[in-house]
Structures are given as structure tokens and as C-alpha cells.
Amino acid sequence: MSRIAIIDTYTDPKYVTQGTLRHIPLCEDSITKADGEYIHHGSVCALVLDRCTNSPYELLNIQALPNKHKAKVFGSIDDLHRALNICIEENVDIVSMSLASSVLSDSRVIYDTAKALSEKAVIVAALDNMMYVSLPTSYPFVVGVQNDWDNLLEPGDISYKPEDRYCAHTIANCNFGFLRDIRHYPSNSFAVPVVTAWVNDILNREKLSPQAVMKRLRAKPVYTGEGLRFSDRGMDIPVAVLVYENDDAALPCRKVLDGMFKEEIQATALSVFPGEYDVRIRRTDSAGDIPRELRFMQAHYKTDIVFVAVRQEELFRFENEIE
């Protein structure tokens, strides 16, 4: 039987019929009981998981988000970090996160812990519902999930999109009638427990490593939908050019972004240089792709400025592409 951690708002035990539930409150206004008739986000996620899985499970509800009535919920990156550490301590098999941070500088807080956790558990995390590149969703060791916005799949089905630009490669359909009955609707958030249920069923049949589970996901049918875009957003986000004399530019680029963060400016970069992974830096191999990639970053990265890192000898050509 798998141990599953849902990191979310409060989860009402009545929506967990195939397993046991334990609640760990982390945020200041955590509650330990149901709040009237309204079904909170964490309870809806548990309901989807319970309806979709065919296997028993032990559920750990780590409440890192406050309960809000019909409002977007904001939590603390420090509470999320604590929740990830609890998952390590509790030896969970699956982490189900229908939440995300679109503030990419938050990576400095959670990256190392998420990486360590991924060695032991399958982390399933949602893309931001406003379609911003998100943490920990876009990490290469996380199962990043988004909803089947084109409605090409049957409810409960899963597909895989190898070239997804958000790095949320796993697509799940959560267009369930029982969600509409409780006045909740398809979202990236509710696609996550669909995938969590699939992982739970796999792990109850076979003892697989997190890496082997991700390999199984990559073997799923290829998703052919376009997905959701906000192409008109972010047109006013400024662009600046960083010029380097050689290919050893990854570290200086990161130092520039870190320096901007110290000034409370969220900065990202589009780079033609290889280098150590940094979620704030998007890479492209072709000058011809710069306009498209830059426009995507303006629309789908929560950033105050986008830098384009180029070589000195290519500056003129890249400036033309940017213009």
C-alpha cells in the first residue's frame, strides 16, 4: 500500500474511502475540521484521487495552504519547504501537489530538498492555473502536470507531451461529472490527483523507482493538443541583452539574476549557452527561435525583466532577431 502526501489545504476525511488519513497543519490558519458546506481545494483533490485509484493507500494531508472560500490561495514558500522535508521524514511514496510557485526565485529555497525527495518518492506537481512556468513542476525530476484543455482524452485518461514548453509534460483529463456536481471544474490542480491515482495503482502492482515510474509515463500516448495560452500577456515586460566574450557564460548570467533578486527584481534569461540547470534560465539553440521563445517568456514567466545572453560576435544578429 502506497503512502501518499497531499500538500494542500485541509482535507476532509469523508472524501477518503479507500485509505486512512492523517492531518499535519503547517500554516498559521490551518484547521482540523470541515468548514461548513464548502468543499476546500485539498478535499476536492482527495476526492478525485479516491475516485480514480483502484488501489488502497495511506494519505498524509500536509496543510501548507490556508482555507479560503472560492478565492485563490496564497501560501508561504517556507511552509512548502517544511512540507517537502516532512515527506522525506515520513518516507512517502508519492507526493501530490496541486499547488505551485510561479516566483522562480523561490527555487533557492526548495530545489535541493525537492531533488533529495525525488530520489525516494514520485513528486506529482501542477502547472500554475494561469499557465506560468512553475516550481517544482518544471524541475526535470518532477512529474509536471497540466489539464487536457483541448478535451482530447476521456475523463481519467493520461497522455504525454514530450516537447511541452512549460515542462509540464503529463496531460490528464479531469472533466468529471462529479466535479461539476460540487461546482468545481477542470484545472491543472485537479489533473494532478488523476496522475497520482495512476502512480498509486502502478506502485501497488510493482515495486518501481521514481525514475522507472517517470519512464512509464514517457511511454504514454503522445498528446497532440495545443493546450492553453495567454499570448497577449506580458507585452510590456522589458528585454535587455547580456553580452559575453566566450561560452563560459552560465555562471555570470546567474550572478546577474541573483543581483537583480537582491534588489527585489524578479529576472529571467534566455540563453544560447549550455550550463548548470537553473529554472530561471530558458535555453535555445537557434537565433531564429529567439523571437518565439522571448514572447513565450514574456507571457508565461512571472518576471520583471528578461535578459537575452549572447556572444559578442553574434550581438548584431541577435539584436535584429529581438527587434
Side-chain angles (χ1 to χ4, degrees), residues 137-155:
T137 317
S138 59
Y139 292 157
F141 47 81
V142 169
V143 178
V145 177
Q146 59 181 300
N147 179 53
D148 170 22
W149 293 109
D150 299 289
N151 210 32
L152 300 180
L153 309 174
E154 293 297 318

PDB file of all heavy atoms in Angstrom, residues 137-155:
ATOM      1  N   THR A 137       7.102  22.145 -10.478  1.00  0.00           N
ATOM      2  CA  THR A 137       6.563  21.474 -11.654  1.00  0.00           C
ATOM      3  C   THR A 137       7.570  21.295 -12.772  1.00  0.00           C
ATOM      4  O   THR A 137       7.655  20.226 -13.397  1.00  0.00           O
ATOM      5  CB  THR A 137       5.364  22.290 -12.191  1.00  0.00           C
ATOM      6  OG1 THR A 137       4.556  22.704 -11.089  1.00  0.00           O
ATOM      7  CG2 THR A 137       4.547  21.501 -13.175  1.00  0.00           C
ATOM      8  N   SER A 138       8.339  22.338 -13.053  1.00  0.00           N
ATOM      9  CA  SER A 138       9.212  22.317 -14.227  1.00  0.00           C
ATOM     10  C   SER A 138      10.551  21.642 -13.972  1.00  0.00           C
ATOM     11  O   SER A 138      11.347  21.484 -14.905  1.00  0.00           O
ATOM     12  CB  SER A 138       9.444  23.741 -14.719  1.00  0.00           C
ATOM     13  OG  SER A 138      10.025  24.528 -13.704  1.00  0.00           O
ATOM     14  N   TYR A 139      10.833  21.231 -12.738  1.00  0.00           N
ATOM     15  CA  TYR A 139      12.080  20.520 -12.474  1.00  0.00           C
ATOM     16  C   TYR A 139      12.102  19.211 -13.273  1.00  0.00           C
ATOM     17  O   TYR A 139      11.076  18.527 -13.368  1.00  0.00           O
ATOM     18  CB  TYR A 139      12.225  20.202 -10.991  1.00  0.00           C
ATOM     19  CG  TYR A 139      12.427  21.395 -10.078  1.00  0.00           C
ATOM     20  CD1 TYR A 139      12.114  21.317  -8.726  1.00  0.00           C
ATOM     21  CD2 TYR A 139      12.944  22.591 -10.548  1.00  0.00           C
ATOM     22  CE1 TYR A 139      12.302  22.394  -7.867  1.00  0.00           C
ATOM     23  CE2 TYR A 139      13.139  23.677  -9.705  1.00  0.00           C
ATOM     24  CZ  TYR A 139      12.810  23.573  -8.367  1.00  0.00           C
ATOM     25  OH  TYR A 139      13.002  24.646  -7.538  1.00  0.00           O
ATOM     26  N   PRO A 140      13.246  18.808 -13.808  1.00  0.00           N
ATOM     27  CA  PRO A 140      13.297  17.596 -14.648  1.00  0.00           C
ATOM     28  C   PRO A 140      13.030  16.300 -13.893  1.00  0.00           C
ATOM     29  O   PRO A 140      12.701  15.284 -14.515  1.00  0.00           O
ATOM     30  CB  PRO A 140      14.726  17.620 -15.210  1.00  0.00           C
ATOM     31  CG  PRO A 140      15.500  18.501 -14.282  1.00  0.00           C
ATOM     32  CD  PRO A 140      14.540  19.525 -13.775  1.00  0.00           C
ATOM     33  N   PHE A 141      13.123  16.319 -12.577  1.00  0.00           N
ATOM     34  CA  PHE A 141      12.887  15.110 -11.777  1.00  0.00           C
ATOM     35  C   PHE A 141      11.479  15.075 -11.183  1.00  0.00           C
ATOM     36  O   PHE A 141      11.180  14.226 -10.338  1.00  0.00           O
ATOM     37  CB  PHE A 141      13.935  15.002 -10.662  1.00  0.00           C
ATOM     38  CG  PHE A 141      14.147  16.281  -9.893  1.00  0.00           C
ATOM     39  CD1 PHE A 141      13.286  16.664  -8.874  1.00  0.00           C
ATOM     40  CD2 PHE A 141      15.206  17.119 -10.208  1.00  0.00           C
ATOM     41  CE1 PHE A 141      13.467  17.846  -8.177  1.00  0.00           C
ATOM     42  CE2 PHE A 141      15.410  18.309  -9.512  1.00  0.00           C
ATOM     43  CZ  PHE A 141      14.547  18.666  -8.497  1.00  0.00           C
ATOM     44  N   VAL A 142      10.619  15.984 -11.604  1.00  0.00           N
ATOM     45  CA  VAL A 142       9.235  16.062 -11.116  1.00  0.00           C
ATOM     46  C   VAL A 142       8.279  15.729 -12.252  1.00  0.00           C
ATOM     47  O   VAL A 142       8.538  16.080 -13.406  1.00  0.00           O
ATOM     48  CB  VAL A 142       8.940  17.474 -10.560  1.00  0.00           C
ATOM     49  CG1 VAL A 142       7.448  17.677 -10.291  1.00  0.00           C
ATOM     50  CG2 VAL A 142       9.736  17.710  -9.276  1.00  0.00           C
ATOM     51  N   VAL A 143       7.179  15.037 -11.920  1.00  0.00           N
ATOM     52  CA  VAL A 143       6.122  14.797 -12.896  1.00  0.00           C
ATOM     53  C   VAL A 143       5.254  16.058 -12.951  1.00  0.00           C
ATOM     54  O   VAL A 143       4.375  16.265 -12.117  1.00  0.00           O
ATOM     55  CB  VAL A 143       5.269  13.566 -12.521  1.00  0.00           C
ATOM     56  CG1 VAL A 143       4.141  13.366 -13.537  1.00  0.00           C
ATOM     57  CG2 VAL A 143       6.133  12.315 -12.418  1.00  0.00           C
ATOM     58  N   GLY A 144       5.524  16.920 -13.919  1.00  0.00           N
ATOM     59  CA  GLY A 144       4.747  18.138 -14.088  1.00  0.00           C
ATOM     60  C   GLY A 144       3.453  17.845 -14.825  1.00  0.00           C
ATOM     61  O   GLY A 144       3.459  17.132 -15.839  1.00  0.00           O
ATOM     62  N   VAL A 145       2.347  18.384 -14.328  1.00  0.00           N
ATOM     63  CA  VAL A 145       1.027  18.012 -14.836  1.00  0.00           C
ATOM     64  C   VAL A 145       0.230  19.254 -15.244  1.00  0.00           C
ATOM     65  O   VAL A 145       0.266  20.278 -14.557  1.00  0.00           O
ATOM     66  CB  VAL A 145       0.222  17.223 -13.771  1.00  0.00           C
ATOM     67  CG1 VAL A 145      -1.188  16.883 -14.272  1.00  0.00           C
ATOM     68  CG2 VAL A 145       0.964  15.957 -13.377  1.00  0.00           C
ATOM     69  N   GLN A 146      -0.495  19.129 -16.339  1.00  0.00           N
ATOM     70  CA  GLN A 146      -1.490  20.131 -16.717  1.00  0.00           C
ATOM     71  C   GLN A 146      -2.749  19.437 -17.218  1.00  0.00           C
ATOM     72  O   GLN A 146      -2.730  18.257 -17.579  1.00  0.00           O
ATOM     73  CB  GLN A 146      -0.942  21.091 -17.765  1.00  0.00           C
ATOM     74  CG  GLN A 146      -0.484  20.448 -19.063  1.00  0.00           C
ATOM     75  CD  GLN A 146       0.077  21.474 -20.027  1.00  0.00           C
ATOM     76  OE1 GLN A 146      -0.611  22.402 -20.433  1.00  0.00           O
ATOM     77  NE2 GLN A 146       1.348  21.299 -20.390  1.00  0.00           N
ATOM     78  N   ASN A 147      -3.816  20.184 -17.238  1.00  0.00           N
ATOM     79  CA  ASN A 147      -5.107  19.652 -17.662  1.00  0.00           C
ATOM     80  C   ASN A 147      -5.160  19.471 -19.182  1.00  0.00           C
ATOM     81  O   ASN A 147      -4.466  20.156 -19.930  1.00  0.00           O
ATOM     82  CB  ASN A 147      -6.212  20.610 -17.218  1.00  0.00           C
ATOM     83  CG  ASN A 147      -7.592  20.152 -17.632  1.00  0.00           C
ATOM     84  OD1 ASN A 147      -7.980  19.028 -17.355  1.00  0.00           O
ATOM     85  ND2 ASN A 147      -8.345  21.012 -18.309  1.00  0.00           N
ATOM     86  N   ASP A 148      -5.996  18.570 -19.607  1.00  0.00           N
ATOM     87  CA  ASP A 148      -6.285  18.362 -21.031  1.00  0.00           C
ATOM     88  C   ASP A 148      -7.257  19.456 -21.478  1.00  0.00           C
ATOM     89  O   ASP A 148      -8.456  19.251 -21.582  1.00  0.00           O
ATOM     90  CB  ASP A 148      -6.889  16.961 -21.218  1.00  0.00           C
ATOM     91  CG  ASP A 148      -7.435  16.738 -22.620  1.00  0.00           C
ATOM     92  OD1 ASP A 148      -7.009  17.445 -23.554  1.00  0.00           O
ATOM     93  OD2 ASP A 148      -8.297  15.841 -22.773  1.00  0.00           O
ATOM     94  N   TRP A 149      -6.713  20.647 -21.760  1.00  0.00           N
ATOM     95  CA  TRP A 149      -7.555  21.791 -22.095  1.00  0.00           C
ATOM     96  C   TRP A 149      -8.263  21.621 -23.430  1.00  0.00           C
ATOM     97  O   TRP A 149      -9.304  22.236 -23.674  1.00  0.00           O
ATOM     98  CB  TRP A 149      -6.724  23.073 -22.087  1.00  0.00           C
ATOM     99  CG  TRP A 149      -6.232  23.442 -20.725  1.00  0.00           C
ATOM    100  CD1 TRP A 149      -4.946  23.380 -20.267  1.00  0.00           C
ATOM    101  CD2 TRP A 149      -7.016  23.898 -19.620  1.00  0.00           C
ATOM    102  NE1 TRP A 149      -4.881  23.762 -18.952  1.00  0.00           N
ATOM    103  CE2 TRP A 149      -6.139  24.101 -18.531  1.00  0.00           C
ATOM    104  CE3 TRP A 149      -8.377  24.159 -19.447  1.00  0.00           C
ATOM    105  CZ2 TRP A 149      -6.565  24.550 -17.280  1.00  0.00           C
ATOM    106  CZ3 TRP A 149      -8.817  24.612 -18.208  1.00  0.00           C
ATOM    107  CH2 TRP A 149      -7.918  24.807 -17.145  1.00  0.00           C
ATOM    108  N   ASP A 150      -7.721  20.796 -24.308  1.00  0.00           N
ATOM    109  CA  ASP A 150      -8.366  20.551 -25.596  1.00  0.00           C
ATOM    110  C   ASP A 150      -9.430  19.458 -25.516  1.00  0.00           C
ATOM    111  O   ASP A 150     -10.115  19.184 -26.502  1.00  0.00           O
ATOM    112  CB  ASP A 150      -7.311  20.174 -26.635  1.00  0.00           C
ATOM    113  CG  ASP A 150      -6.297  21.281 -26.852  1.00  0.00           C
ATOM    114  OD1 ASP A 150      -6.665  22.301 -27.440  1.00  0.00           O
ATOM    115  OD2 ASP A 150      -5.145  21.134 -26.409  1.00  0.00           O
ATOM    116  N   ASN A 151      -9.524  18.822 -24.320  1.00  0.00           N
ATOM    117  CA  ASN A 151     -10.526  17.778 -24.078  1.00  0.00           C
ATOM    118  C   ASN A 151     -10.432  16.653 -25.123  1.00  0.00           C
ATOM    119  O   ASN A 151     -11.448  16.164 -25.628  1.00  0.00           O
ATOM    120  CB  ASN A 151     -11.937  18.370 -24.049  1.00  0.00           C
ATOM    121  CG  ASN A 151     -12.871  17.602 -23.135  1.00  0.00           C
ATOM    122  OD1 ASN A 151     -12.451  17.048 -22.117  1.00  0.00           O
ATOM    123  ND2 ASN A 151     -14.138  17.550 -23.486  1.00  0.00           N
ATOM    124  N   LEU A 152      -9.211  16.223 -25.402  1.00  0.00           N
ATOM    125  CA  LEU A 152      -8.986  15.145 -26.358  1.00  0.00           C
ATOM    126  C   LEU A 152      -9.055  13.768 -25.715  1.00  0.00           C
ATOM    127  O   LEU A 152      -9.240  12.765 -26.412  1.00  0.00           O
ATOM    128  CB  LEU A 152      -7.614  15.320 -27.022  1.00  0.00           C
ATOM    129  CG  LEU A 152      -7.388  16.618 -27.811  1.00  0.00           C
ATOM    130  CD1 LEU A 152      -5.985  16.636 -28.393  1.00  0.00           C
ATOM    131  CD2 LEU A 152      -8.427  16.771 -28.910  1.00  0.00           C
ATOM    132  N   LEU A 153      -8.897  13.725 -24.395  1.00  0.00           N
ATOM    133  CA  LEU A 153      -8.867  12.460 -23.668  1.00  0.00           C
ATOM    134  C   LEU A 153     -10.203  12.217 -22.982  1.00  0.00           C
ATOM    135  O   LEU A 153     -11.009  13.130 -22.815  1.00  0.00           O
ATOM    136  CB  LEU A 153      -7.750  12.476 -22.623  1.00  0.00           C
ATOM    137  CG  LEU A 153      -6.347  12.885 -23.099  1.00  0.00           C
ATOM    138  CD1 LEU A 153      -5.401  12.984 -21.913  1.00  0.00           C
ATOM    139  CD2 LEU A 153      -5.823  11.905 -24.140  1.00  0.00           C
ATOM    140  N   GLU A 154     -10.404  10.983 -22.552  1.00  0.00           N
ATOM    141  CA  GLU A 154     -11.558  10.654 -21.719  1.00  0.00           C
ATOM    142  C   GLU A 154     -11.247  11.025 -20.273  1.00  0.00           C
ATOM    143  O   GLU A 154     -10.077  11.014 -19.858  1.00  0.00           O
ATOM    144  CB  GLU A 154     -11.885   9.166 -21.817  1.00  0.00           C
ATOM    145  CG  GLU A 154     -12.376   8.720 -23.187  1.00  0.00           C
ATOM    146  CD  GLU A 154     -13.678   9.386 -23.569  1.00  0.00           C
ATOM    147  OE1 GLU A 154     -14.570   9.502 -22.685  1.00  0.00           O
ATOM    148  OE2 GLU A 154     -13.818   9.797 -24.731  1.00  0.00           O
ATOM    149  N   PRO A 155     -12.254  11.381 -19.476  1.00  0.00           N
ATOM    150  CA  PRO A 155     -12.000  11.680 -18.064  1.00  0.00           C
ATOM    151  C   PRO A 155     -11.232  10.555 -17.381  1.00  0.00           C
ATOM    152  O   PRO A 155     -11.600   9.378 -17.489  1.00  0.00           O
ATOM    153  CB  PRO A 155     -13.405  11.842 -17.484  1.00  0.00           C
ATOM    154  CG  PRO A 155     -14.226  12.309 -18.638  1.00  0.00           C
ATOM    155  CD  PRO A 155     -13.674  11.575 -19.829  1.00  0.00           C
TER     156      PRO A 155
END
